[in-house]
Amino acid sequence: MGHACAYLTLDILRRIVEEYFHYDVIYQVNITDIDDKIILRARHNHLIQQYRDAKHPLEKVFADATAAVEATVQTLLKKAADLQQQTTLSGSAEEERKEQLNKQSGNWNSQNKHKRN
């Protein structure tokens, strides 16, 4: 059933409220179920088909494929560097937080030491 389940459920509820309880119901449905992934895949398929239909020479296909792989590698390297930087920053923040907690704990211990004796 997938996405249709939500629509069917609301339609059944609408019918119950209208027919059993005799309420007037205005039922509005916005259909925005077109996934960005579906659109992107269709665009990729269209572009690939256009590329195939152009019947480029093997050298051009190889050069284009090499450029695409290089662009992908650069994108992945940038994402990895950004992730590493975020991890380093969050690690530093974590260390600072631990130090602050240790100081607070030490202050609490020294303030409450005389109460124990």
Side-chain angles (χ1 to χ4, degrees), residues 95-107:
E95 289 299 320
E96 289 175 16
R97 190 180 72 77
K98 284 180 183 178
E99 286 178 25
Q100 186 178 18
L101 287 173
N102 284 336
K103 285 180 186 175
Q104 288 174 354
S105 172
N107 289 341

Side-chain angles (χ1 to χ4, degrees), residues 20-87:
Y20 184 77
F21 294 107
H22 305 289
Y23 282 97
D24 292 330
V25 175
I26 297 173
Y27 181 54
Q28 177 183 349
V29 179
N30 294 329
I31 300 176
T32 58
D33 197 28
I34 299 176
D35 243 343
D36 289 339
K37 293 177 193 174
I38 295 170
I39 294 169
L40 185 61
R41 174 68 114 187
R43 180 71 180 148
H44 283 197
N45 289 343
H46 174 72
L47 292 174
I48 288 170
Q49 190 60 46
Q50 277 185 331
Y51 191 84
R52 285 181 184 159
D53 292 345
K55 301 198 189 261
H56 295 290
L58 185 58
E59 294 80 23
K60 176 154 176 47
V61 172
F62 183 76
D64 290 344
T66 303
V69 168
E70 183 61 33
T72 303
V73 167
Q74 292 304 318
T75 301
L76 292 175
L77 288 173
K78 184 180 181 322
K79 284 182 181 180
D82 290 346
L83 183 60
Q84 186 176 17
Q85 183 180 9
Q86 288 174 358
T87 304

